[in-house]
């Protein structure tokens, strides 16, 4: 279970997050929606401390960190309990696909190389890249790179995987293959927090949808409710704008 | 000036000059070593923006980049012993080589530090974030992820610096050090065949520079192997792959993993 309590973040006078509370149950897929600049990516990056929150508490599983006085050691512990899939993939450019997946296992989890290799091969097979083990990121398409990124995150067996707009940088025709992989692992009961603009994906895969705007959570609930019966005016506006196909008459 | 040109002297000078090649290479190797260490020490405060040390680094870099190497050689050779005399350290018996390596080392260090700073800064910030996100510690992320990529970026610059350093060592003769250029002058003086001595000298510098360049190019290719350029055939294949993929994806409904096109 992931619990964020009273998380706040500001850059100078610019307040990005205003006292956010969010609970994610084990095995749940939580999708965070919202217009750009609403703080959703910042919130996600606070969970693994890539952004330092100004205050609040982060708990992953039974590990709790008070943000104000988090030590290096605590941050390191916290980061080992999560994994992240980035918008720009951020694969290690000087390592092959399999080396990218093995890296965390060998360096962070101290797994013997041979064992790490077998596990990495299995994971790359799972994301459909069994034939690309020795390819460098520069030789892979965006979709393939992102699938390696997902395999890399899975390898660490984290308590939660954080997806930061995993399909936003992809060519439209490559979005499908990445979403298909995320769907597949969602079914396996891995806890995920996903920031995305893919409404179809959110509707089908999420157990819980969070709508953020201007640094606060405006509304949250199961997707059936939030999409079809939003309570807040701001949510209605947003959904109307982002799913224009509903209004088109051809 | 001197005796009439006789090309046979060029050949007879070659082995004599090569006998001092060791001295030149010792200056190059020693200075590189000093330079890399100094470069790192000077680059770190600038990379991590350490308040006071940062200012020191900037003064150091301005001085060594902004003054001619010849002046630096004189300042160190004649000036340093005088200053150290004040604190009762006697350097008058120290070999010239020490001053030469120190000066060239610190000189190269100034350029090295800028090279290191630029290369480390050039590594994509996302690479470090990915390393941290998977639970690596600061030093692991630096040594395993940033440094290898920074090295690959640095090699072409480093290669230029080594060659510049090699050629700069020819000024060490001004302090009376018998390296290759010093030897060439002596040979010219004795035989009065100056042009031949300098021709032979230029030839040797050229061969060494060329060899160093090729070696470092090989190192660069090795470090850059992750940026393999695609062959034309592969590119064509990929275009086709994309086209057929586009057709397949377009046929799948979005909710089944396809995408709206």
């Amino acid at each position: 279970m992931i619990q964020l309590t009273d998380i706040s973040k500001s850059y100078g006078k610019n307040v990005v997050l205003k006292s956010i509370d969010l609970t994610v149950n084990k095995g749940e897929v939580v999708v965070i929606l919202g217009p750009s600049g609403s703080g959703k990516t910042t919130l996600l990056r606070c969970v693994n401390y890539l952004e330092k929150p100004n205050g609040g508490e982060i708990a992953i599983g039974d590990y709790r960190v008070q943000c104000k006085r988090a030590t290096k050691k605590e941050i390191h512990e916290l980061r080992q309990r999560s994994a992240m899939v980035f918008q720009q993939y951020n694969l290690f450019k000087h390592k092959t696909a399999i080396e990218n997946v093995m890296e965390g296992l060998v360096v962070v989890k101290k797994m013997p190389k041979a064992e790490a290799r077998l596990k990495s091969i299995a994971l790359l097979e799972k994301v459909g890249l069994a034939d690309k083990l020795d390819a460098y990121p520069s030789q892979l398409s965006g979709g393939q790179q992102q699938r390696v990124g997902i395999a890399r995150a899975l390898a660490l067996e984290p308590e939660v995987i954080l997806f930061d707009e995993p399909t936003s940088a992809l060519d439209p025709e490559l979005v499908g293959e990445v979403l298909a992989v995320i769907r597949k692992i969602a079914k396996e009961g891995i806890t995920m927090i996903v920031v995305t603009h893919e409404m179809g994906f959110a509707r089908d895969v999420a157990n819980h949808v969070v709508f953020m705007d201007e640094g606060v959570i405006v509304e949250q609930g199961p997707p059936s409710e939030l999409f079809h019966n939003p309570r807040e005016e701001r949510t209605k506006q947003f959904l109307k704008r982002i799913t224009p196909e509903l209004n088109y008459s051809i | 000036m001197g005796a009439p040109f006789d090309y046979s002297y060029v050949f007879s000078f070659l082995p004599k000059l090569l006998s001092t090649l060791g001295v030149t290479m010792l200056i190059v190797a020693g200075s590189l070593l000093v330079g890399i260490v100094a470069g790192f020490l000077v680059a770190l405060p600038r990379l991590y923006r350490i308040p006071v040390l940062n200012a020191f680094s900037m003064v150091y870099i301005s001085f060594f980049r902004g003054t001619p190497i010849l002046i630096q050689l004189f300042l160190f050779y004649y000036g340093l012993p005088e200053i150290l005399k004040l604190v009762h350290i006697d350097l008058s018996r120290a070999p010239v080589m020490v001053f030469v390596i120190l000066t060239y080392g610190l000189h190269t260090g100034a350029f090295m530090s800028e090279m290191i700073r630029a290369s480390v800064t050039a590594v994509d910030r996302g690479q470090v974030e990915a390393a941290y996100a998977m639970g690596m510690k600061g030093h692991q992320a630096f040594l395993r992820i940033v440094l290898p990529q920074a090295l690959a970026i640095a090699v072409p610059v480093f290669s230029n610096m080594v060659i510049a350093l090699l050629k700069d060592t020819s000024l060490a003769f001004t302090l009376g050090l018998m390296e290759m250029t010093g030897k060439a002058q002596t040979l010219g003086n004795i035989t009065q065949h100056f042009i031949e001595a300098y021709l032979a000298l230029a030839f040797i510098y050229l061969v060494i520079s060329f060899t160093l360049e090729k070696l470092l190019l090989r190192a660069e290719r090795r470090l850059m192997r992750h940026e393999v350029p695609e062959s034309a055939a592969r590119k064509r294949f990929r275009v086709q792959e994309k086209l057929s993929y586009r057709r397949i994806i377009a046929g799948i409904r979005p909710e089944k993993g396809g995408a709206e096109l």
Side-chain angles (χ1 to χ4, degrees):
Chain A
M1 192 176 87
I2 291 93
Q3 198 164 26
L4 307 178
T5 320
D6 194 22
I7 297 289
S8 56
K9 170 78 188 169
S10 50
Y11 299 101
K13 277 190 180 167
N14 183 15
V15 182
V16 188
L17 296 176
K18 296 171 198 158
S19 179
I20 301 267
D21 293 312
L22 182 66
T23 306
V24 179
N25 294 314
K26 199 169 159 47
E28 218 174 30
V29 178
V30 172
V31 169
I32 304 178
L33 302 174
S36 43
S38 59
K40 50 197 195 309
T41 290
T42 309
L43 179 64
L44 197 73
R45 288 164 61 87
C46 280
V47 176
N48 64 359
Y49 239 87
L50 285 183
E51 300 286 349
K52 188 182 180 312
N54 299 120
E57 188 188 79
I58 301 170
I60 301 182
D62 49 9
Y63 197 78
R64 274 172 193 280
V65 173
Q66 298 291 332
C67 298
K68 254 201 177 125
R69 44 190 167 82
T71 62
K72 258 189 180 172
K73 196 164 169 267
E74 283 177 325
I75 295 170
H76 182 239
E77 276 289 320
L78 190 73
R79 281 179 178 157
Q80 290 197 23
R81 283 155 212 266
S82 64
M84 191 173 232
V85 175
F86 295 87
Q87 184 176 1
Q88 300 293 342
Y89 334 129
N90 290 358
L91 294 185
F92 301 132
K93 288 179 192 160
H94 61 305
K95 292 183 180 293
T96 59
I98 189 163
E99 285 168 350
N100 262 283
V101 183
M102 284 169 67
E103 186 72 9
L105 292 173
V106 175
V107 179
V108 180
K109 300 260 175 201
K110 312 282 178 216
M111 190 186 272
K113 264 198 172 161
E115 197 184 326
R117 201 179 155 76
L118 286 179
K119 184 169 182 182
S120 304
I121 293 173
L123 283 167
L124 284 169
E125 269 170 9
K126 188 178 194 172
V127 298
L129 291 172
D131 55 336
K132 298 284 184 193
L133 299 183
D134 296 316
Y136 285 103
S138 63
Q139 298 163 313
L140 298 173
S141 71
Q144 289 169 334
Q145 288 189 55
Q146 193 58 297
R147 285 186 280 152
V148 175
I150 294 169
R152 180 172 73 171
L154 283 171
L156 300 161
E157 294 178 10
E159 298 196 30
V160 58
I161 301 184
L162 313 168
F163 289 84
D164 180 14
E165 304 196 21
T167 56
S168 299
L170 292 171
D171 286 351
E173 73 259 38
L174 301 180
V175 170
E177 65 182 66
V178 171
L179 288 184
V181 168
I182 301 177
R183 263 165 229 264
K184 190 168 147 190
I185 59 173
K187 283 199 188 108
E188 293 173 10
I190 292 167
T191 317
M192 302 198 264
I193 305 178
V194 188
V195 170
T196 185
H197 293 292
E198 296 289 330
M199 289 299 147
F201 173 83
R203 225 168 303 180
D204 298 356
V205 183
N207 306 111
H208 193 81
V209 181
V210 175
F211 174 67
M212 280 182 75
D213 191 25
E214 292 179 352
V216 293
I217 295 180
V218 176
E219 185 169 357
Q220 53 181 316
S224 54
E225 215 168 276
L226 199 118
F227 282 115
H228 301 299
N229 207 358
R231 290 187 305 266
E232 302 290 331
E233 196 50 42
R234 185 70 190 90
T235 320
K236 284 178 198 162
Q237 268 178 13
F238 176 76
L239 290 174
K240 211 178 209 171
R241 206 157 0 107
I242 203 127
T243 46
E245 73 267 25
L246 298 175
N247 306 328
Y248 281 359
S249 48
I250 302 167
Chain B
M1 179 190 97
F5 185 80
D6 182 350
Y7 67 86
S8 66
Y9 275 96
V10 176
F11 297 104
S12 67
F13 284 157
L14 279 177
K16 284 176 186 146
L17 288 173
L18 282 172
S19 68
T20 55
L21 177 63
V23 181
T24 294
M25 293 319 265
L26 179 65
I27 304 175
V28 173
S31 311
L32 277 180
L33 212 67
V34 175
I36 289 171
V37 174
F40 253 106
L41 291 180
V42 174
L44 287 179
R46 302 211 65 196
L47 279 171
Y48 291 99
R49 298 201 184 85
I50 305 169
V52 182
L53 292 177
N54 192 4
F56 269 113
S57 293
M58 274 153 80
V59 171
Y60 171 91
I61 293 168
S62 320
F63 174 74
F64 281 99
R65 288 211 309 183
T67 54
I69 178 75
L70 191 60
I71 311 294
Q72 291 165 17
L73 276 173
F74 289 157
L75 278 177
F76 270 79
Y77 186 59
Y78 299 113
L80 197 59
E82 292 298 319
I83 293 170
L84 289 180
K85 226 183 251 171
L86 298 176
V87 287
H88 302 289
I89 299 173
D90 185 19
L91 277 185
S92 57
R93 283 165 176 275
V96 189
M97 187 57 119
V98 173
F99 292 99
V100 169
I101 289 184
L102 188 69
T103 314
Y104 280 112
L106 292 177
H107 177 82
T108 315
F111 290 90
M112 288 271 184
S113 76
E114 289 295 87
M115 172 193 86
I116 292 166
R117 190 169 71 99
S119 316
V120 170
T121 321
V123 175
D124 186 9
R125 175 85 199 135
Q127 299 283 308
V128 189
E129 286 189 350
Y132 283 155
M134 68 165 49
M136 278 197 207
K137 291 183 179 152
H139 69 275
Q140 289 171 327
F142 184 77
L143 291 176
R144 299 192 58 91
I145 308 301
V146 177
L147 197 61
Q149 294 186 37
L151 275 180
I153 299 168
V155 170
V157 185
F158 182 76
S159 171
N160 281 342
M161 251 184 252
V162 174
I163 288 164
L165 175 64
L166 170 76
K167 293 184 295 181
D168 277 350
T169 58
S170 65
L171 286 174
F173 83 92
T174 53
L175 300 186
L177 190 69
M178 197 44 85
E179 44 70 69
M180 278 202 302
T181 305
K183 183 76 177 174
Q185 275 209 319
T186 317
L187 287 173
N189 269 325
I190 296 167
T191 59
Q192 289 300 301
H193 285 277
F194 283 101
I195 306 287
E196 293 85 337
Y198 289 133
L199 263 180
L201 181 66
F203 179 72
I204 295 173
Y205 277 121
L206 185 68
V207 170
I208 302 172
S209 300
F210 187 76
T211 316
L212 282 175
E213 201 183 321
K214 286 287 161 224
L215 281 176
L216 286 162
L217 190 68
R218 194 175 279 191
E220 184 188 339
R221 290 233 176 91
R222 205 184 135 62
L223 284 166
M224 277 298 217
R225 66 189 183 279
H226 58 275
E227 302 275 352
V228 195
E230 279 183 287
S231 70
R234 216 188 116 83
K235 255 185 201 151
R236 260 203 305 283
F237 171 70
R238 186 174 280 182
V239 170
Q240 285 173 359
E241 196 177 52
K242 264 192 179 165
L243 278 177
S244 60
Y245 194 68
R246 194 189 283 268
R247 275 197 295 274
I248 295 167
I249 278 294
I252 306 173
R253 296 222 313 276
E255 56 270 30
K256 290 269 169 66
E260 289 136 308
L261 294 178

